[in-house]
Amino acid sequence: MSDTKTLDREYIAGTYGRFDLELERGKGSMVYSADGKEYIDLGTGIAVNTFGFCDDAWTEAVTAQLSQLQHSSNLYYTAPQARLAQMLCEKTGMKKVFFSNSGAEANECMIKAARKWSHDTYGPDRSTIITLRSSFHGRTITTLAATGQDVFHTNFGPFPDGFEYAEPGDLAMAEELLKKGAAAFMLETVQGEGGVRALGKEYIEGVYALCRKYGALFCVDEVQTGNGRTGRLYSYMHYDVQPDIVSTAKGLAGGLPMGATMFAESTANVLTAGLHGSTFGGNPIAAAGACSIISRIDGELLASVEEKSAYIVNELSGAKGVKGVSGLGFMLGIATEAPAKAIVARLMEKGVLVLTAKDKVRLLPALNIDFELLKKAVSLIKEVIADETPA
Ligand SMILES: *Cc1c(COP(=O)(O)O)cnc(C)c1O
């Protein structure tokens, strides 16, 4: 075993079941292992490396900032953070941004702001936040409570109160819960970790209308779906809705840790001086990376994501061993007859890195992946799925 694997197993807390693969360097959608093998990467570090590994423009933006000012704390003004907030607001119509360092933190901020808004608007007794079954909102104690999966509600109790879980797709149930008086409804438009399940237009717009009817905030967790991943800058833009709060993280800074919570007019002034903060939040290097990413997610790129996504769906739908393809844009889940884990392992041997989500094979390619490279990977995926499928 390599030194890295030995040291990792000895000294790193055993929270991760890692693949037996040590990655050393990457460029674009190609990544190279420590033992010299090359792989086509369709996982992007779980939807993080928006433009692949070490994209030139991103690397230049980050290294330029790195030698200028790496950190200042939020006691001072810094340009990358201000420019990024402006860019996000201009592209979304949101009014204010709070920066943090991860998806869980972006959601913590969203939850705190929703509760504070309800406190300001209705008084202290209307704190419930409705989330969905099969959702995933993070690993802090409160975002675990928000996560609508029983497997996450063990070991670490007591969990905070104030979350109720609705069944995705069931508008009657959403209405029943909202009727009781909630602060907010919080959802992912495509449930990522929950199995790449797209909620669909009717349900999302239905929940939005119900939030308006019953005076609850409509909050969207775009930690995974955001930053171009689904073929829109933010996935809510596929629908006729205007969220009150949007959280995002993963792909925002293209591979550096950064979270953002964006507030619409309705919630723009809820968090005031001293109510929230983060030492690292809005770090200049991460913000410079994010400016490079967000400024380049334009209509042309998003159209190419949709085109390439349609290619994947078209190639795999009805292929041998494929039960169905779910998701949106470059956030795709493949339901297969053979176990997803075996397919992922076999693809790794063949030089293609893909992920799983629940019992599906999951694809999260870089937004700018070369079409010929993608076609090569898809043909290998098709071949492996067919090979693994029992006759
Ligand atoms: C990954 C994810 C999170 C948690 O993000 P971290 O950066 O791991 O804290 C929250 N919500 C969704 C939808 C996610 O996909």
Side-chain angles (χ1 to χ4, degrees), residues 297-344:
I297 301 178
D298 57 13
E300 193 182 334
L301 179 73
L302 294 172
S304 78
V305 166
E306 297 219 299
E307 184 194 352
K308 290 168 185 169
S309 168
Y311 172 83
I312 300 173
V313 174
N314 205 38
E315 280 295 304
L316 295 177
S317 299
K320 185 181 174 200
V322 173
K323 292 195 283 189
V325 184
S326 63
L328 206 57
F330 265 175
M331 190 171 166
L332 294 173
I334 312 164
T336 52
E337 285 171 35
K341 276 200 158 151
I343 293 165
V344 171

Side-chain angles (χ1 to χ4, degrees), residues 40-87:
I40 303 172
D41 174 47
L42 301 184
T44 52
I46 322 183
V48 167
N49 298 336
T50 305
F51 285 84
F53 291 96
C54 303
D55 153 71
D56 287 340
W58 176 87
T59 304
E60 197 176 305
V62 167
T63 49
Q65 183 59 42
L66 182 60
S67 53
Q68 182 104 1
L69 182 86
Q70 86 277 32
H71 172 81
S72 71
S73 87
N74 282 304
L75 300 173
Y76 307 96
Y77 296 97
T78 52
Q81 185 180 148
R83 273 198 293 124
L84 176 60
Q86 177 193 27
M87 207 183 289

